[in-house]
Amino acid sequence: VVHVSHGIGKYVGMETVEIRGVHQDYLTVEYQKNDRVLIPVTQLNLLQKYVSAEGKAPKVHKLGGTTWAKTKSRVQKQVEDIADDLIELYAEREARKGYAFSKNDAYYREFEEAFPYTETVDQLRSIKETSIDMEKDKPMDRLVIGDVGYGKTEVAMRAAFKAVQDGKQVAFLVPTTVLAQQHYESFIERFVDFPVRIEMLSRFRTKKQVE
């Protein structure tokens, strides 16, 4: 786990401690040289799960050492640098002229009507706002957030159809090969009645198929 003030330590359990006649539960976090810190459950917000690259074992910090303070300072500097880069990037994007896609027509509405489910209110709003963004002559930058099963893929599919209608090629990126296969099959099924060529690139594909 990571403590906001002490850094990386090992959670070893919970114990109940009596102080001035009051019993309270504490989380025990162990650091180098078996030094321990007791954190009351009321201050659980000071701890978070340690996350790192897969297979990399965390190095436990020394209680009262300077390593954690230096790490936080270094990360803070990196965050500030990233923020500066993002501000510069977005300023450049605002100044650039993007491609303004055509407004939705009868053919697009035919694709909409082929959707076999009833859209949710949030889904319809996201689809509408995405279409409006695409029709502007500025580079689009929209983030759609929703739990699994809330229909984000359909939002992307309608945006893809809108782009393909204007003769553009669309890349749909996913983080795993399994998801690539699943979405590939979903796109094939959704676009079955429309003249759109859909292919997949992943490690499941042979070199010849990729070429």
Side-chain angles (χ1 to χ4, degrees):
V1 294
V2 182
H3 189 284
V4 68
S5 300
H6 306 301
I8 301 171
K10 181 180 179 181
Y11 170 70
V12 294
M14 183 180 292
E15 57 184 287
T16 302
V17 178
E18 181 183 352
I19 299 178
R20 296 176 184 175
V22 178
H23 290 80
Q24 186 168 355
D25 292 331
Y26 288 81
L27 302 171
T28 306
V29 180
E30 189 174 85
Y31 290 86
Q32 286 185 24
K33 298 181 180 179
N34 296 320
D35 289 337
R36 293 188 171 190
V37 174
L38 296 180
I39 300 111
V41 292
T42 54
Q43 296 179 15
L44 192 60
N45 59 300
L46 299 179
L47 282 180
Q48 61 181 339
K49 182 180 178 181
Y50 175 84
V51 179
S52 72
E54 188 175 349
K56 183 178 180 182
K59 183 179 179 180
V60 174
H61 287 154
K62 179 183 178 182
L63 198 59
T66 59
T67 303
W68 178 237
K70 289 178 180 177
T71 300
K72 288 203 296 184
S73 177
R74 186 174 68 252
V75 170
Q76 178 66 30
K77 177 66 168 58
Q78 290 174 341
V79 170
E80 291 172 358
D81 290 343
I82 291 172
D84 290 340
D85 289 342
L86 283 174
I87 291 172
E88 185 178 340
L89 172 64
Y90 277 83
E92 184 180 342
R93 284 173 64 89
E94 280 296 314
R96 284 193 177 186
K97 190 176 181 66
Y99 180 85
F101 289 90
S102 304
K103 292 188 177 298
N104 299 337
D105 57 13
Y107 197 43
Y108 176 86
R109 283 188 285 278
E110 185 179 333
F111 182 76
E112 280 187 320
E113 291 168 2
F115 185 52
Y117 306 102
T118 301
E119 300 91 337
T120 66
V121 174
D122 290 339
Q123 196 176 28
L124 286 172
R125 187 182 74 245
S126 296
I127 290 168
K128 180 180 179 180
E129 291 176 353
T130 300
S131 283
I132 292 172
D133 279 354
M134 292 178 70
E135 291 165 12
K136 294 176 181 177
D137 63 355
K138 293 204 174 221
M140 187 179 83
D141 188 11
R142 175 167 289 274
L143 176 65
V144 179
I145 301 174
D147 290 337
V148 175
Y150 273 57
K152 299 184 297 298
T153 302
E154 178 62 19
V155 178
M157 285 182 175
R158 295 196 190 183
F161 187 87
K162 188 178 181 73
V164 169
Q165 271 194 289
D166 273 15
K168 302 296 183 181
Q169 190 177 57
V170 176
F172 188 84
L173 306 180
V174 296
T176 69
T177 50
V178 173
L179 270 177
Q181 183 66 36
Q182 290 175 346
H183 282 301
Y184 173 65
E185 293 171 1
S186 296
F187 267 74
I188 290 291
E189 182 180 352
R190 183 69 174 90
F191 284 78
V192 66
D193 295 323
F194 300 88
V196 178
R197 180 182 175 184
I198 300 170
E199 296 291 350
M200 180 183 71
L201 289 175
S202 80
R203 63 183 175 86
F204 292 152
R205 289 296 197 241
T206 64
K207 185 176 180 181
K208 185 176 180 180
Q209 287 176 318
V210 171
E211 291 173 349

